[in-house]
Amino acid sequence: MSRKTLRYYDEIDLLKPSFTDLKSGYRYYEVGQLETILLIKRLKEYLFTLDEIKLVLESEQDQELLQTKINQKKQKLTQKMQEYSLLLTRLVDDLSTLEGGNKLMSYLNEIEVKLSEVPEMNLLFIRKQMNVQDYGKYAGELFAKVGAENLTPTAPPMSIYHSPDFDPENSDIEIAVPIAEKTDQTRILLKSLCAFSRYEGSYSELASVYSKLIKWIEEQGYKVKAAPFEIYQTDPAVTAPEKNIVDVYFPVEI
């Protein structure tokens, strides 16, 4: 651990020396502090922030707190490993495309778009201006309501994107479940003709499907009539990211 790092840890009260020489400014540490230094280094390797490390040290290394925090890091690292695994797979596929003499974005030609008539649906919904990171929280609230009130789903859950320009940090998103029962908390989604594409894979690649749909709508002479929506044919909580299936719809008119 460098002297610069030790000085900084002293300044932020993360690791105070046992004694500081006022004349020379030298900091002195006890042998017993080596264990704390090793713990700090270990937690940094686990991607703990300095604030998180400070919380652990101030708790006098509460083992239950430490276990909780490490479990949280494990979950995040596992998610990152999955994301990097998918990224590596896509990178290898792109290299094969280039080595085959094809353009990198030629995969867009494989995305199929067609017209589909979506029937009228009665929706139980939550509509919020939200960050996509909060999506799971609101979806959980909606599904809990379905279970608590013994409502009858008639189709898979869906999301409707009302903002004209999607911003992952702040967009008008409606999360909905089609149900049989009509209540004061439901609304009708009218029957509509839609440009439709089914996508299988990680949600991170959905932008390609949206791009293809928008291009197809323009080329075919249609106009977007209402907010686009997604219908989820698989549950991401129990499905591998590369196996997710989502149907993307754009209501259209001539």
Side-chain angles (χ1 to χ4, degrees), residues 111-115 195-198 209 212-213 216-217:
I111 299 175
E112 183 183 6
V113 179
K114 55 187 177 182
L115 288 175
F196 153 78
S197 183
R198 171 163 289 186
V209 179
K212 182 63 179 281
L213 277 162
W216 185 92
I217 290 167

Side-chain angles (χ1 to χ4, degrees), residues 11-249:
E11 291 170 7
I12 65 173
D13 295 326
L14 180 65
L15 180 67
K16 305 292 290 184
S18 62
F19 170 71
T20 301
D21 188 311
L22 295 179
K23 289 183 178 180
S24 65
Y26 286 176
R27 293 166 173 79
Y28 293 88
Y29 298 83
E30 296 177 356
V31 172
Q33 290 180 283
L34 286 172
E35 182 177 330
T36 302
I37 290 172
L38 290 171
L39 175 61
I40 292 171
K41 289 172 67 69
R42 175 69 65 87
L43 296 181
K44 282 187 68 180
E45 290 172 355
Y46 292 161
L47 305 182
F48 275 61
T49 66
L50 293 181
D51 285 340
E52 289 172 327
I53 294 173
K54 190 174 182 180
L55 180 64
V56 170
L57 296 181
E58 288 175 348
S59 73
E60 298 183 352
Q61 299 181 34
D62 180 281
Q63 296 304 292
E64 187 174 337
L65 172 65
L66 189 55
Q67 183 177 343
T68 299
K69 291 292 184 183
I70 289 178
N71 260 323
Q72 291 172 352
K73 296 301 177 183
K74 177 187 173 185
Q75 292 170 3
K76 287 186 178 180
L77 282 171
T78 300
Q79 181 181 348
K80 280 293 180 187
M81 288 173 66
Q82 291 174 342
E83 290 172 358
Y84 278 120
S85 177
L86 288 170
L87 186 61
L88 181 59
T89 299
R90 194 162 75 238
L91 186 148
V92 170
D93 289 343
D94 283 348
L95 279 174
S96 297
T97 298
L98 292 169
E99 290 165 358
N102 297 309
K103 291 184 178 180
L104 185 60
M105 305 305 290
S106 60
Y107 74 91
L108 289 171
N109 297 326
E110 300 173 9
I111 299 175
E112 183 183 6
V113 179
K114 55 187 177 182
L115 288 175
S116 175
E117 196 166 81
V118 178
E120 179 178 290
M121 289 184 279
N122 180 53
L123 302 181
L124 180 72
F125 65 96
I126 291 178
R127 181 172 174 178
K128 298 278 187 182
Q129 197 78 23
M130 70 174 77
N131 186 312
V132 292
Q133 293 184 354
D134 296 326
Y135 185 98
K137 177 181 72 174
Y138 294 121
E141 291 177 7
L142 186 66
F143 299 148
K145 185 180 293 185
V146 171
E149 299 180 15
N150 292 316
L151 301 172
T152 310
T154 57
M158 60 192 297
S159 299
I160 305 172
Y161 297 92
H162 293 282
S163 293
D165 297 305
F166 178 72
D167 178 355
E169 295 184 356
N170 185 30
S171 279
D172 182 359
I173 302 175
E174 181 179 2
I175 308 169
V177 177
I179 61 171
E181 298 81 3
K182 292 185 178 180
T183 73
D184 58 357
Q185 300 179 63
T186 63
R187 77 174 185 90
I188 297 297
L189 181 69
L190 297 175
K191 180 175 71 172
S192 59
L193 180 68
C194 294
F196 153 78
S197 183
R198 171 163 289 186
Y199 169 73
E200 180 174 349
S202 169
Y203 290 154
S204 62
E205 281 296 290
L206 269 174
S208 298
V209 179
Y210 275 80
S211 296
K212 182 63 179 281
L213 277 162
I214 291 168
K215 183 180 179 183
W216 185 92
I217 290 167
E218 183 177 313
E219 289 176 343
Q220 299 299 316
Y222 290 97
K223 294 181 180 179
V224 176
K225 181 181 179 181
F229 55 91
E230 300 169 358
I231 297 180
Y232 307 105
Q233 301 296 337
T234 54
D235 180 356
V238 296
T239 306
E242 68 275 11
K243 297 295 184 182
N244 282 322
I245 299 175
V246 56
D247 295 337
V248 183
Y249 294 87

